[in-house]
Amino acid sequence: MALRPLDNALPITPERPKKQTKVAVSVPKQSDVGVNDENRAPVPPTTADATIDYISSENLKPLPDPEIKLQSLVEGLESKDWLKVCNSLNNTRRLALYHSSLLLPILEKLMLVLVKAMKNPRSALCKTSIMASSDIFNAFGDKLLLESTTSDAFDHLLLQLLLKACQDKRFVCEEADRALNAMVGSMAPLALLHKLRAYVSHANLRVRAKAAISMSHCASKMGLEEMEEFGLVSLVKLGADSLNDRLPEAREAARSMVASMYEAFTEKEEQKLEKWQTFCQSNLPANHAQSMVKLVSSQ
C-alpha cells in the first residue's frame, strides 16, 4: 500500500554551503622590503640606495679625453637615469673648468638642462646641477648674457636659482646662495642688474629678498658712471621699495645698496647729506625720501 504524505510535514530546506576557511598569509611590512635578512636571499642595491659625492670645484680633475667625452655628454644629460645625469653634470663641470671652449656651442642647451635638473624632486640631482651652474658662471661670466639665445636661457636659470635659494632644504638653499654669489662675482654688475631688477617685485617675498641681496652686491661693485648708465633714479627707487619690504633680509640688502649709492653719488661733494636729500626729495615720495635720508645720516 502506498504511503500518503503527511499534511503537516515540514518543508525540506536546502543545505547551506560550507564557509571557506580563511588562511592567514604573512605579508612583509613596508619597512622590511629591500632590507637584507639572514633568512632571505640578499636584496640587490637599487638606485635609491646610491650615494652621490659632491665634489668641490677645486678637487675636480681635467678630463683625459675631453673631445671624446663631449660627444656623449648631451646624451648623458638627457638620460632618464638620474645617476647618469649627475655623472654627466660633473663632467660638464670639469669641461667648464678646464676645457671651456668646447662647451661654447652648447651653452644654451646646458643651461636649459640645468634648469630641468633643478626642478627635479631628487635633492642630489638638484644640488649637483646648482654646483654645475657655479662652475659655468665662473668659466663664462658675461658671455652668458651676450647672445640673445643664451641670455634667454640664463633668465630661466636665474629664476630657478632664486627659487632654490628659498627652499627649506638647507643644503640645497646654501648651494644656491653660493651659485648666486658666483654669478655676481663673475659678471659685470650693470648687465646683471638689468636681469635682477624684475625679481625684486616678484610675488614670492623670499625671491624678492634673494634678488635684493644680489642687487646690493652688484651695486657695491659699481661707480657713479655705471649707476647713471643703469639709471640712478631707477636704482634709488628700487632701493626705496626694498627698504619697505616685509622680510628683514630684503630690508638689510636695501640698506647696503643705498649706502653704496650714497657713497658713489656724493663722493666728490662737500655737502654730501644736503646733496643726497635734494636728490631723494626730487625723485621719491616724501615718506620714502625721508627714509633714504635718515638711513645715510645714521651711518
Side-chain angles (χ1 to χ4, degrees):
M1 181 174 75
L3 296 177
R4 295 173 61 190
L6 298 175
D7 295 334
N8 298 326
L10 296 173
I12 300 174
T13 58
E15 184 178 358
R16 294 181 179 178
K18 295 182 179 179
K19 293 183 178 180
Q20 294 182 351
T21 305
K22 294 183 179 180
V23 179
V25 178
S26 61
V27 179
K29 296 180 181 179
Q30 187 67 29
S31 59
D32 294 333
V33 177
V35 179
N36 286 324
D37 186 280
E38 61 181 0
N39 297 319
R40 303 180 195 170
V43 178
T46 63
T47 54
D49 301 320
T51 58
I52 295 294
D53 292 327
Y54 302 111
I55 309 170
S56 61
S57 300
E58 53 269 22
N59 291 328
L60 287 169
K61 305 299 181 184
L63 288 167
D65 49 356
E67 290 83 2
I68 295 175
K69 187 61 67 176
L70 182 66
Q71 295 174 9
S72 60
L73 184 68
V74 175
E75 181 182 350
L77 290 171
E78 294 177 346
S79 173
K80 293 182 178 180
D81 184 339
W82 70 276
L83 286 173
K84 288 183 179 179
V85 178
C86 281
N87 184 57
S88 296
L89 285 172
N90 280 326
N91 284 334
T92 299
R93 297 175 63 201
R94 297 166 74 183
L95 286 166
L97 292 172
Y98 298 104
H99 320 281
S100 59
S101 61
L102 296 176
L103 292 180
L104 277 172
I106 59 170
L107 268 182
E108 179 190 8
K109 182 182 290 290
L110 280 179
M111 284 191 284
L112 294 178
V113 167
L114 293 178
V115 170
K116 181 180 178 181
M118 286 182 201
K119 293 180 179 180
N120 193 290
R122 196 176 292 276
S123 298
L125 179 55
C126 180
K127 178 170 178 174
T128 304
S129 65
I130 295 172
M131 296 176 76
S133 69
S134 294
D135 292 324
I136 286 177
F137 291 150
N138 288 325
F140 297 102
D142 293 329
K143 291 179 182 178
L144 300 175
L145 307 179
L146 294 179
E147 299 292 335
S148 59
T149 52
T150 54
S151 180
D152 291 342
F154 175 83
D155 290 338
H156 295 290
L157 181 57
L158 173 57
L159 175 58
Q160 281 305 308
L161 284 173
L162 291 170
L163 289 170
K164 294 308 171 185
C166 302
Q167 271 206 353
D168 293 329
K169 293 180 180 177
R170 184 175 177 181
F171 78 108
V172 172
C173 176
E174 291 177 346
E175 198 61 54
D177 281 334
R178 282 190 282 270
L180 290 170
N181 288 335
M183 174 189 73
V184 173
S186 62
M187 295 182 179
L190 180 59
L192 191 52
L193 268 180
H194 285 291
K195 293 291 187 179
L196 288 165
R197 68 183 305 171
Y199 299 107
V200 291
S201 57
H202 195 274
N204 186 323
L205 71 166
R206 297 177 71 182
V207 169
R208 292 202 303 268
K210 294 296 182 179
I213 292 170
S214 292
M215 287 194 71
S216 71
H217 291 162
C218 287
S220 68
K221 298 168 59 179
M222 298 171 71
L224 180 60
E225 185 176 342
E226 285 182 297
M227 290 182 183
E228 289 177 336
E229 187 176 349
F230 176 84
L232 194 57
V233 174
S234 297
L235 195 59
V236 80
K237 286 180 177 178
L238 289 172
D241 288 340
S242 295
L243 273 178
N244 295 282
D245 203 278
R246 290 167 55 189
L247 281 185
E249 296 95 322
R251 298 195 297 270
E252 180 59 34
R255 283 191 286 270
S256 175
M257 185 165 70
V258 170
S260 297
M261 283 187 283
Y262 174 73
E263 183 178 342
F265 185 73
T266 62
E267 182 180 6
K268 298 179 181 179
E269 299 293 333
E270 293 183 2
Q271 303 296 324
K272 296 180 181 294
L273 190 59
E274 290 80 357
K275 181 76 172 180
W276 179 251
Q277 183 175 5
T278 302
F279 172 74
C280 291
Q281 289 176 343
S282 301
N283 296 288
L284 297 172
N287 58 333
H288 284 188
Q290 185 179 3
S291 298
M292 300 288 274
V293 174
K294 182 179 178 181
L295 173 62
V296 297
S297 60
S298 62
Q299 292 181 350

